[in-house]
């Protein structure tokens, strides 16, 4: 037996609107806590190191994804690096065109493996290129909350 | 594999950009009835176990598992739901048969994408809530960044990516199931509005509603049920690192790992020589090229030129996405990989109509779970 009757007029196809309100708390975790406190208090980055695999994890993690060992070696990492890849984003989260397109990049930091995904600014989209030297611009100390948004954006060095 | 497993029934409903007349449960029922008729089975009597794939946020309900048994004939039966790519669900059904405990299994996937009003937010919710989500960026930005890096590392050109769109949407014109068939030029694609440069709107698969259901059976049972069972020779799946900050932006390592596992189980040494055609995730045009290379069907950086020259076209030496792929059929959310499998089944059965590939004996289907994931799954099927 299959569907024997079909709705044949759009007006007969009923639907209801509903939403799913979700709120949550997201724990930064032991590694994330130390990373974001360092940004908030000192305006600099910290990474963890796996000495066996020779990997400096940015963002820092408590475990190595290669050898699965626990990491407790922390190092300071400079806030400069280069553009590994980027895109010019033309839509917002409502899928509407952005009045001003924004540049999002993955920046690999010089002193680490990995880096950070963040916006680029103080540059026009057509002037960005792969390998371009950039540095993080931090918010003023009294505006920092201990979040990824304490970095305003990266800009060309 | 330790036990032969075959697909003995295939059913579908959709694939259309809107289906205002059917609930998602009715889409599933419609596809299930076709699959059970095709296999000649009564679900209440013959089917031992059921697997569905889905994702709560796509359904707009929590604990979607509870919503699946009745429309599949699965009430009071073993039911497993998997939050994953459709082919991961197929793998789970295969494994249940391999245990020896079950002889007939069903796998189902579906999409009611037209009911989702905030899809970019749902995808953004999949990004790390501490490191990435606060940026408030449209998640297709990840695809734009991947595409740029892939182009740079492999010297693939935007024209070659656009050729994937022209090919797949044109293939879809020969597929009555496909909801997004179109005759478009490479230039149309390149001049379409940008979403996340270099990715244009026409390089992103639109969405479709639909459902896909397969009936799987163990060797002897399959031979009794079907004159033409389609054998599952090997399955593989893999995830890469979760972190955007640690993943290789230009390379689909998850596809390589998933493919290697599927080829190993299937006993395939040289995929390019032993497989006749493939249905490969093309959620974004560049992904088809990246996946083709990672799966080993051509060398890294050569898929674009191969596509531009027509090697992967219908009638080419190695047809890729004869169905039209996700670009031509529409992206079916968690069921997208199962739609890839469906085309492989139809081709191997010789039921692909105008788009039938001559002497198709062995085919591969590969699914990817979409941005921001690095989850891929592959299956090798043959006559």
């Amino acid at each position: 037996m299959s569907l024997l009757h079909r709705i044949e007029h759009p007006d007969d196809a009923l639907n209801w609107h509903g939403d799913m309100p979700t709120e949550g708390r997201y724990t930064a975790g032991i590694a994330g806590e130390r990373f974001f406190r360092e940004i908030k208090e000192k305006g600099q980055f910290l990474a963890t190191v796996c000495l066996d695999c020779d990997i400096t994890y940015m963002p820092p993690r408590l475990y190595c994804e290669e050898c699965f060992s626990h990491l407790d070696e922390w190092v300071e990492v400079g806030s400069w690096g280069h553009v590994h890849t980027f895109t010019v984003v033309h839509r917002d989260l409502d899928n509407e065109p952005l009045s001003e397109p924004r540049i999002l990049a993955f920046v690999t930091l010089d002193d680490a493996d990995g880096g950070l995904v963040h916006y680029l600014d103080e540059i026009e989209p057509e002037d960005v290129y792969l390998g371009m030297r950039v540095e993080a611009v931090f918010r003023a100390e009294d505006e920092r909350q201990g979040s990824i948004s304490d970095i305003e954006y990266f800009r060309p060095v | 594999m330790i036990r032969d497993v075959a697909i003995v029934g295939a059913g579908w409903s959709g694939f259309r950009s809107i289906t205002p007349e059917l609930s998602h449960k009715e889409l599933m029922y419609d596809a299930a009835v076709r699959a059970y008729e095709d296999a000649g089975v009564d679900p209440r009597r013959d089917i031992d176990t059921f697997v569905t794939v889905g994702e709560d946020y796509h359904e707009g309900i929590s604990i979607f598992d509870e919503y699946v048994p009745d429309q599949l004939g699965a009430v009071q039966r073993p039911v497993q739901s998997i939050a994953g790519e459709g082919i991961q669900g197929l793998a789970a059904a295969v494994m249940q048969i391999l245990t020896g405990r079950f002889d007939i299994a069903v796998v189902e996937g579906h999409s009611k994408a037209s009911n989702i009003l905030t899809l970019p937010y749902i995808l953004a919710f999949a990004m790390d809530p501490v490191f990435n989500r606060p940026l408030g960026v449209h998640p297709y930005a990840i695809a734009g960044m991947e595409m740029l890096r892939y182009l740079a590392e492999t010297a693939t050109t935007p024209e070659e990516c656009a050729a994937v769109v022209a090919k797949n949407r044109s293939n879809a014109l020969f597929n009555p199931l496909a909801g997004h068939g179109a005759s478009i030029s490479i230039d149309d694609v390149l001049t379409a509005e940008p979403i996340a440069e270099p990715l244009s709107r026409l390089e992103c698969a639109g969405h479709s509603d639909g459902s896909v259901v397969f009936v799987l059976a163990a060797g002897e049972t399959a031979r009794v049920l079907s004159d033409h069972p389609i054998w599952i020779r090997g399955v593989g799946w893999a995830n890469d690192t979760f972190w955007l900050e640690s993943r290789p932006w230009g390379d689909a390592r998850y596809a390589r790992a998933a493919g290697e596992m599927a080829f190993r189980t299937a006993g395939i040494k040289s995929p390019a020589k032993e497989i006749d055609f493939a249905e490969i995730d093309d959620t974004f045009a560049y992904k088809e090229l990246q996946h083709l290379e990672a799966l080993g069907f051509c060398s890294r950086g050569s898929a674009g030129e191969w596509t531009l020259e027509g090697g992967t076209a219908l009638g080419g030496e190695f047809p890729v996405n004869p169905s039209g792929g996700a670009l031509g059929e529409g992206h079916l959310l968690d069921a997208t990989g199962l739609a890839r499998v469906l085309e492989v089944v139809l081709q191997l059965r010789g039921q692909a109509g105008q788009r039938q590939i001559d002497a198709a004996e062995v085919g591969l289907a590969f699914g990817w779970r979409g941005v921001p994931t690095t989850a891929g799954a592959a299956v090798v099927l043959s006559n």
Side-chain angles (χ1 to χ4, degrees):
Chain A
M1 188 66 70
S2 188
L3 297 171
L4 293 182
H5 305 286
R6 296 276 182 165
I7 291 170
E8 294 179 354
H9 300 285
D11 290 348
D12 295 338
L14 293 179
N15 63 69
W16 282 265
H17 275 240
D19 60 4
M20 298 194 294
T22 51
E23 280 183 44
R25 195 180 269 148
Y26 299 95
T27 306
I30 295 166
E33 172 102 19
R34 194 155 163 188
F35 176 74
F36 287 115
R37 279 200 186 283
E38 186 80 0
I39 290 180
K40 184 171 188 280
E41 288 160 15
K42 297 186 185 163
Q44 63 185 31
F45 298 141
L46 284 180
T48 51
V49 182
C50 179
L51 296 170
D52 291 336
C53 297
D54 194 25
I55 297 173
T56 304
Y57 280 100
M58 170 57 73
R61 269 146 264 181
L62 277 193
Y63 31 79
C64 174
E65 61 179 46
E66 292 298 328
C67 71
F68 206 55
S69 60
H70 176 76
L71 306 181
D72 52 13
E73 180 81 14
W74 288 77
V75 292
E76 270 180 43
V77 166
S79 56
W80 51 87
H82 62 268
V83 173
H84 184 74
T85 188
F86 70 97
T87 182
V88 184
V89 193
H90 290 261
R91 295 286 182 100
D92 66 15
L93 280 168
D94 291 310
N95 227 5
E96 296 296 327
L98 285 167
S99 53
E100 222 167 295
R102 299 198 67 183
I103 312 164
L104 191 79
F106 173 54
V107 175
T108 45
L109 297 179
D110 285 357
D111 304 332
D113 299 289
L116 292 170
V117 173
H118 220 295
Y119 291 106
L120 292 189
D121 213 327
E122 298 185 30
I123 186 166
E124 294 302 315
E126 55 272 24
D127 296 329
V128 184
Y129 56 93
L130 297 187
M132 189 177 76
R133 301 276 306 156
V134 292
E135 64 180 359
V137 177
F138 294 95
R139 289 187 194 282
E141 201 175 339
D142 57 351
E143 289 175 18
R144 297 202 287 256
Q145 318 250 326
S147 91
I148 198 73
S149 302
D150 288 353
I151 305 163
E152 275 191 86
Y153 49 79
F154 281 79
R155 69 178 173 202
V157 175
Chain B
M1 297 201 293
I2 51 175
R3 217 178 170 203
D4 292 337
V5 182
I7 291 176
V8 296
W12 57 89
S13 187
F15 309 144
R16 289 291 175 268
S17 55
I18 56 172
T19 52
E21 79 282 20
L22 296 178
S23 72
H24 83 274
K25 292 179 62 133
E26 289 165 344
L27 277 168
M28 291 168 68
Y29 174 72
D30 196 34
V33 168
R34 283 175 207 247
Y36 302 160
E37 285 288 323
D38 190 39
V41 295
D42 174 349
R44 304 301 294 151
R45 186 189 65 208
D46 304 323
I47 296 172
D48 302 316
T49 180
F50 299 80
V51 178
T52 62
V53 291
E55 156 60 47
D56 284 357
Y57 271 96
H58 289 163
E59 312 290 331
I61 47 182
S62 41
I63 320 180
F64 88 91
D65 324 45
E66 292 297 303
Y67 286 72
V68 304
D70 48 320
Q71 64 271 33
L72 295 176
V75 168
Q76 300 240 9
R77 296 294 181 83
V79 177
Q80 179 190 21
S81 296
I82 294 202
E85 214 293 315
I87 295 174
Q88 290 175 316
L90 181 73
V94 169
M95 287 189 284
Q96 291 196 20
I97 292 178
L98 293 182
T99 64
R101 171 68 182 76
F102 306 103
D103 286 329
I104 303 182
V106 156
V107 58
E108 186 277 344
H110 58 274
S111 158
K112 183 75 176 174
S114 67
N115 271 2
I116 302 176
L117 305 181
T118 55
L119 190 57
Y121 284 94
I122 290 173
L123 298 182
F125 256 54
M127 292 159 71
D128 186 284
V130 176
F131 284 92
N132 306 137
R133 197 197 298 166
L135 299 173
V137 72
H138 193 297
Y140 280 17
I142 295 169
M145 291 202 291
E146 272 194 4
M147 179 177 171
L148 184 74
R149 188 70 202 178
Y150 168 70
L151 297 187
E153 286 182 9
T154 60
T156 300
T157 66
E159 289 74 18
E160 290 164 349
C161 295
V164 172
V165 183
K167 167 179 73 73
N168 290 0
R169 295 195 67 172
S170 159
N171 286 355
L173 291 172
F174 301 105
N175 181 359
L177 267 175
H180 293 256
S183 174
I184 55 172
S185 69
I186 288 175
D187 216 40
D188 292 334
V189 179
L190 293 174
T191 54
E193 59 166 311
I195 300 290
E197 291 179 49
L199 193 67
S200 85
R201 184 175 58 81
L202 289 176
E203 288 175 299
C204 309
H207 286 86
S208 281
D209 294 350
S211 174
V212 182
V213 174
F214 295 116
V215 180
L216 277 57
E220 277 317 301
T221 308
R223 289 182 189 94
V224 169
L225 284 172
S226 175
D227 298 335
H228 195 160
I230 301 302
W231 299 100
I232 296 172
R233 299 296 182 185
V235 192
W237 62 97
N239 280 65
D240 205 324
T241 179
F242 160 79
W243 294 85
L244 294 180
E245 295 85 353
S246 293
R247 62 173 63 179
W249 285 86
D251 191 10
R253 286 196 308 201
Y254 56 90
R256 184 170 303 114
E260 281 171 1
M261 178 178 166
F263 299 144
R264 196 166 59 241
T265 11
I268 284 177
K269 303 266 188 309
S270 170
K273 288 191 188 129
E274 296 172 60
I275 295 175
D276 302 317
F277 70 100
E279 283 277 317
I280 289 183
D281 179 88
D282 61 335
T283 299
F284 304 104
Y286 74 94
K287 275 289 174 194
E288 176 173 311
L289 303 176
Q290 204 184 38
H291 290 152
L292 259 177
E293 293 167 4
L295 289 163
F297 290 109
C298 59
S299 62
R300 186 156 150 82
S302 67
E305 198 181 345
W306 198 24
T307 304
L308 204 57
E309 288 169 350
T312 60
L314 269 178
E317 60 179 307
F318 186 79
V320 176
N321 287 322
S323 69
L327 287 162
E329 288 188 336
H331 196 272
L332 289 158
L333 303 177
D334 313 282
T336 307
L338 295 181
R340 304 280 69 72
V341 175
L342 176 63
E343 177 69 5
V344 174
V345 169
L346 296 177
Q347 289 283 353
L348 293 174
R349 284 175 168 186
Q351 294 176 341
Q354 279 183 285
R355 63 188 192 286
Q356 182 63 47
I357 298 164
D358 289 340
E361 291 294 329
V362 186
L364 171 126
F366 176 79
W368 168 57
R369 213 179 166 200
V371 286
T373 80
T374 55
V379 56
V380 178
L381 300 124
S382 79
N383 279 321

